[in-house]
């Protein structure tokens, strides 16, 4: 009797599996479609971060404010592209690991990913290195490349990426580091924010590390080169302001 029940369960599961897969696919398609035109005010990473810090009064709460791409400085767009994914508007969501022009000077697992992959990971998933996670990330990357397009992907990325301890997105980073809107960032300020993306949880508000300063300088140089090649502008002569220091304004969790 038990063997018959087990056999029946296996047969039933085999018959229902295609239907379940179709339902899951439709739900993910709807999810991607909804986020194509609506602000992404919450991501799994934001929720997990906020939940993990609720019992610790010494940690910052989540800082995030959605702004449209047109309200983000072109300097920051250029800085992020120079730092994270120079070929963003050329590739179809993925870049070869040995493509040194795609990801500037990045060696870790996440660093090998394009902006499209990082957006898919930030909005739909959590950080992970399992094959199951990679398959899901690849799936969502293909979906947003197909249905969102480059402009929307970049807009969501700049509003969702972690840019400091509890700081998600360009507007929050601009307000906290420089007390100004994301649309008013200078090249110098934009390069600093772009530099934080590599290791956002290691930002020391009292002292800027040598690695952060070097990365900021490299991003400014790359921005200058990109502008020279693509826009016909001369590269800036001075790529680092030695007196540069962000002004922090944080809200402590009460």
């Amino acid at each position: 009797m038990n063997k018959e029940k087990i056999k029946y369960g296996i047969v039933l599961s085999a018959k229902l599996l295609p239907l379940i897969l179709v339902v899951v696919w439709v739900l993910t398609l709807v999810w991607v479609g909804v986020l194509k035109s609506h602000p992404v005010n919450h991501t799994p990473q934001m929720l997990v971060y906020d939940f993990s810090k609720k019992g610790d009064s010494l940690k910052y709460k989540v800082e995030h404010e959605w702004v449209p791409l047109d309200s983000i400085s072109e300097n920051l767009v250029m800085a992020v592209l120079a730092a994270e994914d120079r070929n963003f508007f050329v590739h179809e969501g993925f870049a070869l690991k040995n493509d040194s022009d795609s990801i500037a000077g990045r060696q870790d697992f996440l660093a090998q990913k394009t902006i499209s992959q990082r957006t898919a990971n930030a909005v739909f998933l959590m950080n992970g290195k399992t094959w199951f996670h990679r398959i899901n990330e690849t799936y969502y990357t293909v979906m947003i490349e197909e249905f969102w397009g480059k402009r929307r992907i970049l807009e969501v990325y700049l509003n969702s990426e972690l840019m400091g301890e509890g700081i998600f997105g360009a507007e929050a980073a601009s307000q906290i580091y420089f007390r100004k809107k994301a649309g008013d960032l200078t090249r110098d300020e934009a390069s600093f924010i772009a530099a934080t993306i590599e290791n956002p949880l290691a930002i020391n508000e009292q002292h800027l590390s040598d690695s952060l300063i070097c990365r900021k300088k490299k991003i400014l140089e790359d921005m200058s080169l990109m502008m020279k090649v693509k826009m016909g502008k001369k590269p800036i002569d001075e790529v680092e302001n030695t007196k540069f220091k962000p002004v922090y304004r944080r809200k402590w969790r009460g």
Side-chain angles (χ1 to χ4, degrees), residues 45 93-94 109-110 112-114 116-122 124-144:
Q45 294 181 17
F94 305 93
F109 177 80
L110 278 178
Q112 301 298 334
K113 299 180 181 180
T114 64
S116 300
Q117 290 173 283
R118 292 169 69 90
T119 302
N121 184 72
F124 300 101
L125 305 167
M126 293 296 301
N127 289 332
K129 297 184 179 181
T130 65
W131 282 108
F132 180 76
H133 179 274
R134 295 185 187 186
I135 291 172
N136 278 281
E137 182 186 83
T138 300
Y139 170 74
Y140 280 111
T141 299
V142 172
M143 292 281 280
I144 63 176

Side-chain angles (χ1 to χ4, degrees), residues 9-174:
I10 294 175
V11 173
L12 182 62
S13 299
K15 290 181 178 180
L16 290 177
L17 182 60
L19 177 61
I20 294 173
L21 292 176
V22 170
V23 171
V24 171
W25 178 76
V26 171
L27 290 176
T28 58
L29 188 62
V30 171
W31 192 8
V32 171
V34 169
L35 294 183
K36 179 180 180 180
S37 56
H38 288 74
V40 182
N41 291 316
H42 303 284
T43 67
Q45 294 181 17
M46 292 181 198
L47 296 175
V48 169
Y49 179 91
D50 195 42
F51 179 79
S52 66
K53 306 302 181 185
K54 281 188 179 296
D56 191 346
S57 61
L58 298 179
K59 293 296 183 180
Y60 302 120
K61 71 174 185 178
V62 168
E63 302 279 2
H64 175 260
E65 182 179 347
W66 175 274
V67 292
L69 186 60
D70 291 337
S71 297
I72 298 176
S73 169
E74 292 183 3
N75 290 323
L76 184 57
V77 173
M78 183 73 73
V80 169
L81 291 176
E84 301 298 316
D85 192 350
R86 298 184 194 179
N87 292 334
F88 173 69
F89 288 103
V90 178
H91 64 64
E92 297 182 355
F94 305 93
L96 298 177
K97 287 188 176 182
N98 61 356
D99 186 354
S100 59
D101 288 334
S102 295
I103 309 294
R106 305 290 294 277
Q107 299 298 326
D108 57 283
F109 177 80
L110 278 178
Q112 301 298 334
K113 299 180 181 180
T114 64
I115 284 178
S116 300
Q117 290 173 283
R118 292 169 69 90
T119 302
N121 184 72
V123 176
F124 300 101
L125 305 167
M126 293 296 301
N127 289 332
K129 297 184 179 181
T130 65
W131 282 108
F132 180 76
H133 179 274
R134 295 185 187 186
I135 291 172
N136 278 281
E137 182 186 83
T138 300
Y139 170 74
Y140 280 111
T141 299
V142 172
M143 292 281 280
I144 63 176
E145 279 279 339
E146 180 67 24
F147 293 103
W148 285 8
K150 294 294 187 179
R151 178 180 173 84
R152 177 60 176 176
I153 292 173
L154 188 59
E155 181 177 56
V156 174
Y157 177 76
L158 290 172
N159 275 282
S160 305
E161 184 65 19
L162 185 63
M163 299 177 176
E165 182 75 32
I167 305 171
F168 290 87
E171 183 66 19
S174 301

Side-chain angles (χ1 to χ4, degrees), residues 3 70 177 184 186:
K3 290 183 178 180
D70 291 337
Y177 291 134
D184 299 328
T186 65

